[in-house]
Amino acid sequence: MSRAHARPQRSKRVIVAGVAVAATLTAVTAAVAFAGGETATGSIACPRPVVPAVPAAAQAEVQRELANLDKQIAEAGERLRTSAGQGGPDFVQNAILGPLASKRVAALNRIETAIGRVAAKPEGLERFATCGLGQAPAVSAPPATSRTSPAGSTGSSAPAAAGTIECPSPVVGDVPAAARAEVDRELANLGKQLVEANERLRTSAGQGGPNFVQNAILGPLASKRAAALDRIAIAVGRVEARPQGLERFATCSLE
């Protein structure tokens, strides 16, 4: 059925037991004008996840999650279209692509879980989580086949990521007295977000594949930090010149 406003088209899938399934690669084109005057024209493109041998008992749940992947891309494309003029050069990565990757990781993990309840659990689907602007990023090779059985025996898993998440300290400059309380609150939020991300890193040892930390922890953390830094800029901007470029302090790394 056609939808108004030229919404992205979704290809229908037929999932057959024992047959590999590939999700539709969806792209939503938009032109985004950044605060500095640059305009990024492109589309959000995501790699097609290859889901092998879907048993009949898992078909309904897998189909639902594949539909969720399409919906997530459509929503991200709409966010791209309506965010013209917002943020700086890292806005698309921090506010759109990062959260999209996090949502895709969750959906792909649910697909693995659904299959794993009735057959050997596929591993490494999160390598299809990261999307790009203009073209889908290259996908890493699949991990070694795991022989995890639905009875609960464990197979190989990704090694734990060693290290600590470190974030740059934002340089806010002179904060007017009228904005001090709100700025202090958001700075405290930045500290809380970092603590939570490091706890997630600690408790997720062995989960996912080689891109798990980036997609499930660092990407969402950057999005949260970008939002908090934007609130700081807004708070200061209510009473004097709004500081620019605080989003450069959003991205953290594993040290």
Side-chain angles (χ1 to χ4, degrees), residues 26-28 44 46 69-78 100 104:
T26 306
V28 181
I44 294 178
C46 302
L69 292 174
D70 282 346
K71 180 181 177 182
Q72 291 162 2
I73 299 173
E75 290 172 345
E78 179 65 9
L100 174 59
R104 285 173 63 84

Side-chain angles (χ1 to χ4, degrees), residues 6 18 33-34 45 54 59 62 65-66 77 103 138 171 192 213 215 221:
F34 294 118
V54 180
Q59 285 186 17
V62 170
E65 294 305 332
L66 290 174
K103 292 176 182 178
V171 179
K192 179 182 177 183
V213 172
N215 293 336
L221 175 60

